[in-house]
Amino acid sequence: MKKTLSVLFMLSLCFVLIVPSIGAQGVSSEGKSGEYLVQFNGPVNHGLLTAFGVSEEDVFHEFNALPVVHLQLTEKQAFGLSNHPKIKYLEENAEVQALGQTVPWGIPHVQGTDAHGEGYTGNGVKVAILDTGIDNTHEDLNVQPNGHSVFSDADNSDPFYDGSGHGTHVAGTVAALNNNLGVLGVAYDAELYAVKVLNNSGSGSYAGIAEGIEWSIENGMDIINMSLGGSHSSSILKEFCDLAYDSGILLVAAAGNSGNRGGNNDSVGYPAKYDSVIAVAAVDENNNRASFSSTGPAVELSAPGVRVLSTVPGNDYASYNGTSMASPHVAGVAALIWAEKPELSNVELRELLRATAINLGGSNQYGYGLVQALDAIEYTGSGGGNGGGQDDDDSGSGRPGNGRP
């Protein structure tokens, strides 16, 4: 049984190098002085500069590689030099600003930035991204060197080649680096693992997902994110999900994009619908359910899934819509919490996510509500959340990757 995962590619957003406009002002009068770069046709002619009244104190730097001088000029001097045949270029010394890091709206929406401010970054938590692969050359991602692909053909056998871009986008939401460029992930110090279970067209099979889950168990993953799904159940896929959950792994999956505008159908896909998996619905910036977000009793948590900016292959960035974008927000929040509270079992962590979620409305649409990272880390109360989701039996204690049974 195969499925095709569709994502809506929206406006690509890149960094902006901000350069103030250089005014081509009239410079026929003495006017105020400013900094300029002057390039000569041939060697720097100091006599020419002196002839125009430029003193040694006005010269800040003389370059060696090109006959260029950085100096201070009045508007009158600049006008005269700019028209001299021995001057090749005369430009005002414009300022620039460093490339900046964008914080996608979803990160503070789930209290990711609040948690970062308190020193919580998800350090050491292993997150397997079961998807179309992850571009490990992206400068905004730190992808671990050991990954896995369930495919053997040349086009899809490399887990670090993401022909779709979907897996790279998901990975960035979980853990894009805090490096003053690009975007910021929810748990930027978490460890990302590429597990390619969908091909470059975004298609895969339940057998492939099961293989990816098995690899995650065998390689000590803490969290599995599955921004994928199909409409049919599989007893064997359920067994693999249950096996991973019983081994102490937290499984998070997209609820699906088969919702209707009224939000009154039962359309959560698989594997999200299994009791051992957290099904995540999508909301917008106003905490309204996205009209495409699947609904039903299995919905457990909500997270940002509309106009989500994240990484895509080729050191690029784009905004996507979908519950595929909501799921990694929850995986990232879980990583933040587990790094700070490694003694929690996956079941206890799941209960904590529920207990601290913000109630947004009907449980079939929102589950327990919007996940909140810092509230969960600082939570000292007891009791359940705000409705929705499934009941679970306790299993194991502590993160599977931290040496606890």
Side-chain angles (χ1 to χ4, degrees):
M1 290 175 283
K2 295 187 176 181
K3 45 73 67 190
T4 299
L5 186 63
S6 298
V7 294
L8 177 61
F9 290 83
M10 297 189 66
L11 183 64
S12 290
L13 299 179
C14 302
F15 308 123
V16 178
L17 183 65
I18 303 175
V19 182
S21 59
I22 302 172
Q25 305 159 347
V27 289
S28 57
S29 62
E30 189 71 25
K32 61 183 180 180
S33 62
E35 293 185 20
Y36 292 83
L37 288 169
V38 178
Q39 182 171 350
F40 288 78
N41 280 314
V44 173
N45 189 324
H46 294 279
L48 177 61
L49 295 178
T50 302
F52 276 89
V54 179
S55 66
E56 291 184 7
E57 292 78 16
D58 294 328
V59 178
F60 301 123
H61 180 72
E62 184 174 335
F63 294 82
N64 295 319
L66 290 171
V68 174
V69 179
H70 173 205
L71 71 175
Q72 181 170 285
L73 299 172
T74 65
E75 291 179 341
K76 183 177 181 180
Q77 289 170 327
F79 178 78
L81 284 169
S82 67
N83 290 289
H84 198 281
K86 291 187 177 181
I87 300 300
K88 185 175 183 180
Y89 301 118
L90 187 146
E91 300 172 347
E92 188 175 349
N93 186 33
E95 294 181 356
V96 297
Q97 295 180 359
L99 294 174
Q101 178 172 256
T102 298
V103 179
W105 71 268
I107 309 304
H109 207 68
V110 298
Q111 293 187 329
T113 49
D114 290 339
H116 302 162
E118 297 299 322
Y120 308 127
T121 64
N123 183 46
V125 179
K126 298 179 178 180
V127 184
I129 307 296
L130 272 60
D131 216 291
T132 58
I134 306 174
D135 176 11
N136 68 341
T137 67
H138 200 294
E139 61 186 352
D140 214 4
L141 297 175
N142 182 19
V143 184
Q144 299 304 303
N146 55 318
H148 180 70
S149 175
V150 304
F151 302 99
S152 58
D153 63 290
D155 290 337
N156 294 285
S157 60
D158 183 1
F160 306 118
Y161 178 74
D162 180 11
S164 163
H166 188 267
T168 302
H169 194 278
V170 168
T173 295
V174 174
L177 297 172
N178 186 15
N179 55 1
N180 295 318
L181 60 85
V183 295
L184 183 68
V186 178
Y188 57 77
D189 277 338
E191 298 179 5
L192 292 171
Y193 290 82
V195 185
K196 191 177 178 78
V197 301
L198 303 176
N199 63 23
N200 294 325
S201 298
S203 297
S205 69
Y206 285 179
I209 299 171
E211 184 179 331
I213 292 172
E214 180 181 61
W215 183 92
S216 299
I217 296 171
E218 293 174 346
N219 287 269
M221 297 296 106
D222 298 314
I223 299 169
I224 294 174
N225 185 86
M226 296 178 285
S227 291
L228 46 78
S231 58
H232 301 285
S233 182
S234 162
S235 296
I236 292 176
L237 179 58
K238 180 182 181 299
E239 288 286 323
F240 274 98
C241 291
D242 293 348
L243 180 64
Y245 193 61
D246 291 343
S247 74
I249 297 175
L250 188 74
L251 293 89
V252 185
N257 299 333
S258 299
N260 59 25
R261 190 166 295 278
N264 53 14
N265 59 347
D266 184 358
S267 55
V268 176
Y270 300 93
K273 202 166 189 175
Y274 299 133
D275 288 350
S276 54
V277 182
I278 296 175
V280 184
V283 297
D284 63 17
E285 295 168 76
N286 298 313
N287 286 335
N288 295 316
R289 180 188 69 90
S291 59
F292 56 76
S293 185
S294 291
T295 57
V299 172
E300 188 163 343
L301 293 168
S302 297
V306 178
R307 293 185 297 278
V308 174
L309 177 65
S310 188
T311 50
V312 292
N315 288 330
D316 210 346
Y317 302 85
S319 291
Y320 292 174
N321 290 347
T323 56
S324 282
M325 287 59 255
S327 181
H329 281 90
V330 174
V333 167
L336 288 176
I337 299 166
W338 229 346
E340 179 61 20
K341 298 184 174 184
E343 73 282 358
L344 294 179
S345 71
N346 58 340
V347 174
E348 291 167 337
L349 174 57
R350 187 175 185 177
E351 291 172 347
L352 184 57
L353 289 168
R354 296 170 173 177
T356 54
I358 297 175
N359 188 345
L360 299 180
S363 61
N364 276 18
Q365 290 79 39
Y366 300 101
Y368 287 84
L370 178 69
V371 288
Q372 296 290 276
L374 189 60
D375 287 351
I377 293 171
E378 296 181 343
Y379 184 70
T380 59
S382 61
N386 300 310
Q390 305 93 355
D391 294 328
D392 305 286
D393 296 326
D394 197 3
S395 61
S397 61
R399 282 166 42 197
N402 67 5
R404 297 180 176 86

